[in-house]
Every structure is written in C-alpha cells, then in structure tokens.
Amino acid sequence: MKTLARILFPMMLLATESILASDNITALRDYIKATYGEELMISDAQVSQLSWVMDNPHATPEMDHHKLAGMHKEVPRALSRIYNLQRLRSGTPQDYEQFIAPQKKEMVTPLSPDSFRQLSDAIRSMDEYHYEVLAAAAIISSVTLSPEAIKRARLVPDLKLPTDSVQFLAVTAPEASKIYPLAQLLSKRFKTGNHLFEIAFMPNSHLRHMMYNEGSLTMYEHIERGLSNGSVSRNDLTFWYYHWVINIAGFRGQIAPKGSLYLTQNTYNAMSAVKAVLDKLGKDKGNKSFNPMRAYLGKRADWLKLDHYTHNTDEQIALASIAASLRLFSPDQGKQLYQAFHKLSSKDQKRWLDYSHYQLSNTTTPAPTYAPALFANAVVEAGLADTIISVLPLFLDVIDKEQQMRKNGQLNPEVPVSFRLLSQHQQVHRLLHQLHRGLVIIDPVTGVASITK
C-alpha cells in the first residue's frame, strides 16, 4: 500500500496541476475575449505562457489604489503591451487613435502623431525574429517570480535565484529556452539561442529606473561595459530600447488595457533623452568625464526651468533627480518642486543634496526599486508638496539604513533595497498621516524595507 501511495500521489499532484493550468488558460481566454474581442492577435503558446502569472502572489504596487477584480494585475499589463505592439507594427492613423485613446481622458499631453510614427517606423523595420522576441519578452517579463518560473529555474544547475523580479529576469535570461516555453519555441523556430532575451533583460539596465533616476551610475555600467568590450552592439542597444518602449506602453494596462495610458508625449521625451545619453556612451573615447546621469538630469532641469530659482548647478541636478522620480516635466511643476523642497529642514535638504551627489558617482550597488511607486501613490493622495515634505525624509531614512547595512556587511551588495511594501496604498496612507517617523527595518535577504509605527 505504501508503494502504491508513493506512485499515486505524484500522479494525483500532476493531474491537479494540469486541471489548475487548464482553468487558468480558460480564464485568460475569457478575459481576452471580453476585453479585446477580435482586436488582439495572441497565440495559444503566448496564452499558455502568460497563464503562469495567475498563480503568482507578487504584483507591483504602482497605482495600487486601482484594483482589478479576479485577475492578476500583470495579466492586463502584458496583454496591453501586446496590443500596443501590434498597433505600432500596423502604424495606421486608426492605430494611432487607438494607441492614445486612454490619454484623451486624462490631463496629459498625448503622444504626438510624429512621435508615434517614429516608434512605429522602428517596429515595422524589425525582422520577424526580433519582433517575435519583443512580443515574447513582454509576456515573460510578466511571469517573473511566478511559482512555475521559480520551479523550472531551480532545475537549472548553479542558478542563484534573486527575490527581485527584474533581477530574476536577468539571471534566468541566459537559460531562457530551458525555463520559458515561449523562449524555447522561438529558439527552435528561428534556430537561435538566448542572446536577445539576455539583451532585453540585461542586469541593472532598466530604462524606467533611468528615466526616474532611481539609482546611480550602476544603472549605466552594464551597457557601457558591453559597448566597450563588444558583448553589446549598437543594434542590441536599439533592441533593448524598444523592448522597454513596449514595456512602458502597457505599464498601466490594468487601468486602461486598450491603448497606452502611460506612453504620453512627456514619457516619450524622457525615454528619448535617456536613449540620446546612452547613444553617446563609448563613442567619445577621449572624454572620460562624460557622466550619463548628469547629462540626463541636466536635460530634465532645463525642462523645469530650475535655473530660474537657483544658480547652484548641484542643487539643480538634485532637484531634477526628485523631479525624475516624481515624473515632473513643466516649469510650473519646477516652481512647485523648488518651493516644497525649501520647506524641508536644512538638515533634510543637505541629506538629499548629499544623496544626489552619491548617485552621480556610485557604481557598486543596484538601484532601489519601487521608490517612484511610493512617490506616485503619495502624490495621488496628498499632492506634490506634501509628498516632498512628508515622504522624501522617509525615503532618505531608508537609504541611510541601506548604506549603514551595506557598510557593516549586513546586506548583499547585489540585493537592491526595495520600497515595494512601503509603496502599497495602505502603507502610503499611514506614512503620510503618522505623527512620528518610525524605525526603518530592511530585510537582509530580500532588501525589502518597512517602517515601524
């Protein structure tokens, strides 16, 4: 009987997993039909791969106050990315209108027809293989840290799996065809390896992190080194960039699944500014002083007209760094930023200036994660000024704790400090309204920060 039980139990477990997987695929198909009708082209293999996310307990807290009943938040994001990719590949005036439709309902400057055309031209010029990997990467990036992805990754020898979702993608990318069925399918179909997945998911090379200036020069190190040693070509860099274009296009797909709510003209300008800086890396061999972060923040300072309020260039760059995380673009927002910053204590102002200076030189630790989500959710609830006055000092408390732990060897240099928990809507509300700043705690294994009451 014991022998029979040992045989039957694994069989029953496999049968149960098969039923659950089938249920997930059916639920996905029903959602796609209800949301898109016949407007979205998606293969069985893509649906099957995306179904992994249905069992994933992890989700980004960006715009956490928007809930989606009965569906994991990464599902509409992934599908929105595929939908927008198809609009860009088609590139007609009707596709443009469908792409910007969600933006027309918001107080934003919609992506211009010319900007859409430039993106569309780049997507349409891609060969079938590059286009299919773009689509596959959009789906695979949504199933990171899902139970099935972790289970399969653990079968690959000597693969050390991080707890951060973006780093998980970077670690698994070289073995993509062994872990992700969609990558395996493309590898067999086009007789290729995993190189483009490695490019899409390059370590510490996250375009949104660069746009929001979340980290330090570490964000640029892998690309700069790859361009220098030949492991990353200029064509690779272009593919990486358009992977992120598609990622950003569906970033708020849980709010508006058809079209892009997030890729507005301002977002396009920020992406383009980062790309222009990256295109300069490695081209001027004699210019060792070129700092891509300072160049990018200088551009953002110009948009905000910060030189109208301070002639101190270090302060301009420091304020531009806040503006990047808060997604500020206009001169009026620059004025509000300057005024709110100067309501901080002189100690906290100096702490931020010191931190921004550190950002411009540090090349040893990964970018903090989810800080812009913390700021974005706080702005929704309290507005720009109160977010700077109340949340920025708390952010700096976490950074101080992180640096102390790294100095004492208590936090792995490769683990980013994470604001994921603090970014959740309930936590943001508490942080904005508690009378006293609590004690910062950072999990030494995951890097996840919390603040006691």
Side-chain angles (χ1 to χ4, degrees):
M1 288 295 292
K2 290 183 178 179
T3 302
L4 183 61
R6 283 197 296 268
I7 296 172
L8 288 177
F9 181 73
M11 293 176 64
M12 291 169 63
L13 189 61
L14 286 172
T16 302
E17 289 179 348
S18 178
I19 292 170
L20 290 174
S22 178
D23 288 346
N24 285 343
I25 290 173
T26 299
L28 264 177
R29 281 289 184 193
D30 290 344
Y31 174 80
I32 292 168
K33 183 69 174 178
T35 306
Y36 296 99
E38 302 299 325
E39 293 184 68
L40 182 70
M41 294 180 292
I42 188 162
S43 68
D44 290 342
Q46 289 172 326
V47 172
S48 179
Q49 179 71 86
L50 184 57
S51 70
W52 287 11
V53 79
M54 302 283 276
D55 299 319
N56 191 358
H58 301 286
T60 176
E62 173 76 20
M63 302 302 285
D64 189 52
H65 54 287
H66 290 273
K67 302 294 184 183
L68 190 69
M71 190 62 61
H72 194 286
K73 193 183 294 186
E74 293 302 327
V75 167
R77 281 181 169 165
L79 295 174
S80 178
R81 284 163 182 150
I82 300 299
Y83 178 88
N84 289 316
L85 174 60
Q86 291 173 6
R87 301 287 72 72
L88 287 167
R89 194 187 201 193
S90 177
T92 67
Q94 181 183 359
D95 290 305
Y96 168 69
E97 293 298 329
Q98 291 172 325
F99 191 92
I100 67 164
Q103 300 174 26
K104 292 184 174 181
K105 302 173 185 177
E106 304 291 327
M107 298 291 290
V108 298
T109 303
L111 185 72
S112 71
D114 185 57
S115 298
F116 178 84
R117 194 177 306 112
Q118 290 180 34
L119 295 176
S120 179
D121 287 347
I123 298 297
R124 294 169 73 184
S125 69
M126 289 184 178
D127 61 31
E128 191 70 12
Y129 174 55
H130 283 73
Y131 176 82
E132 289 295 338
V133 175
L134 271 189
I139 292 174
I140 289 171
S141 63
S142 293
V143 306
T144 182
L145 289 184
S146 63
E148 186 66 19
I150 293 172
K151 184 176 79 172
R152 295 193 181 210
R154 283 175 175 163
L155 297 176
V156 179
D158 302 321
L159 207 60
K160 295 181 179 180
L161 300 180
T163 56
D164 176 76
S165 59
V166 175
Q167 292 196 331
F168 185 90
L169 287 171
V171 167
T172 57
E175 308 290 348
S177 59
K178 295 180 182 178
I179 299 168
Y180 307 104
L182 203 50
Q184 183 182 53
L185 188 68
L186 292 181
S187 181
K188 288 181 178 178
R189 178 181 166 191
F190 292 99
K191 305 295 188 294
T192 58
N194 299 311
H195 179 68
L196 282 188
F197 289 104
E198 292 183 69
I199 294 299
F201 304 135
M202 286 190 290
N204 299 322
S205 304
H206 191 300
L207 182 61
R208 287 204 317 270
H209 288 176
M210 296 173 185
M211 286 168 54
Y212 307 150
N213 207 53
E214 293 186 50
S216 62
L217 279 182
T218 307
M219 299 184 294
Y220 300 85
E221 280 287 290
H222 182 87
I223 291 175
E224 186 166 24
R225 185 167 56 250
L227 291 171
S228 176
N229 65 27
S231 61
V232 177
S233 69
R234 293 288 168 183
N235 288 337
D236 286 338
L237 184 59
T238 298
F239 177 81
W240 169 88
Y241 176 73
Y242 284 100
H243 158 70
W244 281 107
V245 168
I246 302 309
N247 180 285
I248 288 166
F251 186 48
R252 290 186 177 161
Q254 79 277 17
I255 305 172
K258 294 172 68 174
S260 179
L261 180 61
Y262 197 69
L263 211 172
T264 63
Q265 187 59 39
N266 279 335
T267 301
Y268 175 85
N269 292 341
M271 292 161 50
S272 300
V274 172
K275 181 62 163 58
V277 165
L278 291 171
D279 284 342
K280 292 181 181 179
L281 289 178
K283 286 191 173 180
D284 187 357
K285 300 293 185 181
N287 185 8
K288 300 294 185 182
S289 63
F290 178 69
N291 187 312
M293 178 179 285
R294 180 175 281 277
Y296 172 64
L297 292 178
K299 186 71 172 177
R300 294 203 72 122
D302 290 343
W303 293 341
L304 298 168
K305 305 296 183 186
L306 292 176
D307 60 340
H308 290 189
Y309 308 106
T310 174
H311 296 299
N312 183 330
T313 55
D314 288 339
E315 185 176 10
Q316 290 174 21
I317 294 298
L319 290 172
S321 180
I322 303 174
S325 285
L326 285 166
R327 303 148 194 184
L328 308 181
F329 294 92
S330 71
D332 182 59
Q333 290 174 324
K335 181 179 180 180
Q336 294 177 53
L337 169 64
Y338 177 81
Q339 292 173 341
F341 182 75
H342 280 272
K343 289 181 181 178
L344 292 170
S345 68
S346 56
K347 178 181 178 182
D348 283 338
Q349 289 181 46
K350 184 178 185 305
R351 288 171 75 204
W352 182 260
L353 288 168
D354 289 344
Y355 175 65
S356 67
H357 182 73
Y358 166 81
Q359 285 182 295
L360 290 166
S361 57
N362 174 42
T363 58
T364 59
T365 55
T369 57
Y370 298 109
L374 167 63
F375 292 128
N377 290 340
V379 167
V380 169
E381 178 162 340
L384 173 59
D386 283 347
T387 294
I388 292 172
I389 294 167
S390 300
V391 177
L392 197 64
L394 293 170
F395 170 87
L396 288 168
D397 289 346
V398 174
I399 295 300
D400 287 346
K401 181 69 173 181
E402 174 207 5
Q403 293 181 352
Q404 178 188 1
M405 288 179 68
R406 293 198 192 284
K407 184 178 179 181
N408 295 336
Q410 298 170 315
L411 187 61
N412 189 315
E414 297 178 0
V415 174
V417 65
S418 171
F419 289 83
R420 179 170 54 84
L421 289 182
L422 295 176
S423 302
Q424 294 173 357
H425 179 58
Q426 307 93 312
Q427 290 295 315
V428 171
H429 179 81
R430 179 176 69 82
L431 294 175
L432 285 168
H433 295 96
Q434 68 183 20
L435 295 177
H436 304 288
R437 278 154 53 179
L439 179 69
V440 174
I441 300 171
I442 299 177
D443 188 300
V445 176
T446 64
V448 174
S450 58
I451 296 179
T452 61
K453 295 182 180 179

